[in-house]
Structures are given as C-alpha cells and as structure tokens.
C-alpha cells in the first residue's frame, strides 16, 4: 500500500498557507499570457498589444467562477451543510467542465468585443490549458482529493480520510492529459481554425468518461455528474468535427498512414 509523499502546503507564513494547487493556477495564466503574446507577434492573432492582459484577467474570472460553481453543484449536499467552505478555494475543488464553460464564455465575449477570430483564439488557448490541466491532476493527487475506487492493484494508494487502497485516478488523468498535450502540440497550423480545440473537446470528453469509472463519485443511472458532461463533450465534439472538419480529419489520418510506411 502506497501513500502520498508530498505535503500539499509548499510553505506557510503564520496562518497564510501557500499551496502547490494555487501555484498551478498562477503558472497556467502565465503560460496563457506567453502563448497569446507569441501568437500576436507571429500574426496568428490580431490582438492589440496590451489587450492580452485584459483577456487573461477575464479568463481568470471565467475559470474560477465556472469551475467553482460546477464543483459546488456537484457536491451540493456537502456545501449546503458547510456554506462558507464554498469560498475556500485554496483547499481545491474546481470542476473541469465548469472551468471550460467559464473560460469559453470569457474568450467568446472578449473576441466579439475586440473583433478577434474566436476559433483561432480557442486553438491558441488550448495548448497551454491542457498542460496546466495535467499539472492540476497531479495537484489533486497531492491534495488527496478526487480519489479512486477500492482496488488491490500493486500501485494503489492509501488516501487520508478514506478507507482501503484506491486507484490513483488523478495520476491516470494527468498521464492522459500530458499525452493529449504532446499530440495537440504536433498538430499543424495548416488545419482549419478550431480544429485543435474541437479535437481537445472530443478527446478530453472520452478520457474523462472512461477514467471516471474508477473514481469514487455519486452516480445516477451508473454515471457520475462529470461523466454526464463528458458525454455531452463527446457528442458535440464528434458532431462538429464530422460536420465541419472532415477534410482536416482525412489529412490528419493520411499523414499518420504515410509516417507509418
């Protein structure tokens, strides 16, 4: 039986705790800012210099509000009895699907206001976002939250406040997201605007749907709250790719076939 060897608190000053979890969010928005600046300088995005800071601010609000709201909804009974803990962001508890919706709303409104191609912006944001999402799963592991189901596999972990040895589903999710990050990173800009983003939506939905069968979550009709939204992602992502990106899909697979010859 393995145990998590890392304290989630990096260091503390009096009652103030600096956690690894919070630093990942800071790193995430710095990476997004870097990606936006790079895209602006290369002419990929027609965004005025300095406006990228405004966009990052809106993305921060959208991510935090959306992810926290969905997390609270998914754990409504707990927060109904502990309402003040809704504001304890430093303790973790940010739902991916809510964060995705929040960041998309913020990006869409900003793109409309500043006359920026939304799908191209979504492609630019996807690469740093998936990398940070992978790091976020590692932070979930360190925080010992979002734990897996009971198992007897040799690599199972004992998490505090939970009985028995459990699947480290956080690490499964991190591995899948790092794999997706490197896959998307290799996709060329020759693809139509939005292709990288919709591939992300589809594959993230597939990954979350299957990994979450090993996660200890409340279920309705055999599926968790997160799996329901992951199914929506799969259906929407698959439909959009089939309807609007058939040529890009053909080019993607034809390139793979040529590389294997």
């Amino acid at each position: 039986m393995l145990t998590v060897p890392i304290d989630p608190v990096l260091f503390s000053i009096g009652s103030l705790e600096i956690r690894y979890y919070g630093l990942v969010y800071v790193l995430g928005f710095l990476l997004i800012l870097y990606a936006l600046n790079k895209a602006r300088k290369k002419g990929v995005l027609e965004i005025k210099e300095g406006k990228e800071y405004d966009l990052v601010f809106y993305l921060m609000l959208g991510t935090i509000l959306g992810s926290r709201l969905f997390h609270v909804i998914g754990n409504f009974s707990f927060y109904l009895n502990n309402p003040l803990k809704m504001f304890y962001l430093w303790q973790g508890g940010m739902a991916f699907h809510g964060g995705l919706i929040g960041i998309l709303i913020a990006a869409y409104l900003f793109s409309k206001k500043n006359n920026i191609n939304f799908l191209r912006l979504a492609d630019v944001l996807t690469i740093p976002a998936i990398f940070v999402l992978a790091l976020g799963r590692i932070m979930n592991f360190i925080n010992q939250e979002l734990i897996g189901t009971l198992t007897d596999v040799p690599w199972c972990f004992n998490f505090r406040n939970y009985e028995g040895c459990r699947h480290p589903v956080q690490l499964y999710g991190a591995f899948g997201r790092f794999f997706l990050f490197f896959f998307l990173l290799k996709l060329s800009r020759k693809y139509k605007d939005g292709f990288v983003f919709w591939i992300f939506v589809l594959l993230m939905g597939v990954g979350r749907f299957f990994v979450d069968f090993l996660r200890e979550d409340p279920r309705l009709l055999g599926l968790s709250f997160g799996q329901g939204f992951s199914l929506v992602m799969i259906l929407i992502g698959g439909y959009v790719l089939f309807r609007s990106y058939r040529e890009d899909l053909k080019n993607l697979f034809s390139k793979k076939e040529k590389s294997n010859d």
Side-chain angles (χ1 to χ4, degrees):
M1 182 182 293
L2 303 172
T3 57
V4 181
I6 304 173
D7 190 326
V9 179
L10 178 60
F11 64 89
S12 58
I13 305 173
S15 59
L16 176 64
E17 294 182 340
I18 305 299
R19 292 177 171 248
Y20 290 101
Y21 192 91
L23 291 180
V24 167
Y25 274 84
V26 175
L27 173 63
F29 290 115
L30 288 176
L31 288 175
I32 286 175
L33 184 60
Y34 170 78
L36 289 171
N37 271 314
K38 186 177 179 181
R40 177 182 60 80
K41 290 176 181 178
K42 286 189 171 183
V44 175
L45 278 180
E46 295 181 0
I47 181 171
K48 294 180 181 178
E49 186 174 358
K51 282 289 185 179
E52 62 270 22
Y53 295 97
D54 295 338
L55 174 55
V56 168
F57 175 72
Y58 294 135
L59 295 177
M60 288 173 61
L61 287 180
T63 302
I64 294 171
L65 292 176
S67 59
R68 192 59 175 179
L69 177 61
F70 268 58
H71 172 75
V72 170
I73 292 172
N75 299 273
F76 186 73
S77 59
F78 171 79
Y79 288 104
L80 188 63
N81 295 320
N82 304 274
L84 288 179
K85 290 202 171 184
M86 287 190 291
F87 305 101
Y88 289 13
L89 300 180
W90 57 90
Q91 292 186 356
M94 310 292 275
F96 160 72
H97 298 95
L100 177 62
I101 292 173
I103 204 170
L104 286 177
I105 291 174
Y108 178 77
L109 293 176
F110 183 88
S111 65
K112 285 297 181 185
K113 182 179 179 181
N114 292 275
N115 216 13
I116 297 171
N117 185 315
F118 170 68
L119 289 176
R120 191 174 298 173
L121 175 60
D123 282 346
V124 171
L125 295 176
T126 292
I127 302 299
I130 188 62
F131 180 77
V132 175
L133 285 168
L135 293 180
R137 274 295 180 254
I138 296 176
M139 296 309 107
N140 294 141
F141 175 74
I142 292 174
N143 278 356
Q144 300 190 51
E145 58 187 358
L146 310 181
I147 54 93
T149 54
L150 291 166
T151 182
D152 59 359
V153 296
W155 57 87
C156 67
F157 277 80
N158 182 30
F159 295 99
R160 67 171 178 268
N161 301 325
Y162 292 94
E163 295 182 358
C165 208
R166 297 171 178 271
H167 280 289
V169 288
Q170 311 96 326
L171 299 183
Y172 301 163
F175 176 80
R177 292 174 184 195
F178 278 126
F179 178 83
L180 182 55
F181 165 74
F182 287 111
F183 174 71
L184 294 177
L185 197 61
K186 293 180 72 174
L187 291 184
S188 170
R189 278 295 310 164
K190 293 179 181 178
Y191 292 106
K192 191 190 299 185
D193 291 333
F195 183 66
V196 170
F197 168 70
W198 286 113
I199 288 286
F200 159 78
V201 170
L202 174 64
L203 295 184
M204 273 295 294
V206 171
R208 272 296 304 266
F209 181 79
F210 286 106
V211 170
D212 280 13
F213 278 114
L214 298 176
R215 192 166 129 179
E216 188 166 279
D217 286 330
R219 299 186 184 277
L220 179 64
L221 300 177
L223 299 178
S224 67
F225 183 70
Q227 284 177 303
F229 279 102
S230 295
L231 271 179
V232 173
M233 289 176 66
I234 294 169
L235 293 173
I236 294 177
Y239 172 76
V240 173
L241 285 168
F242 179 76
R243 185 171 182 267
S244 303
Y245 297 92
R246 280 187 236 182
E247 287 302 316
D248 295 292
L249 288 171
K250 288 178 183 177
N251 292 335
L252 176 63
F253 289 113
S254 64
K255 284 183 180 180
K256 285 191 171 184
E257 288 174 3
K258 288 178 183 178
S259 65
N260 292 331
D261 288 340

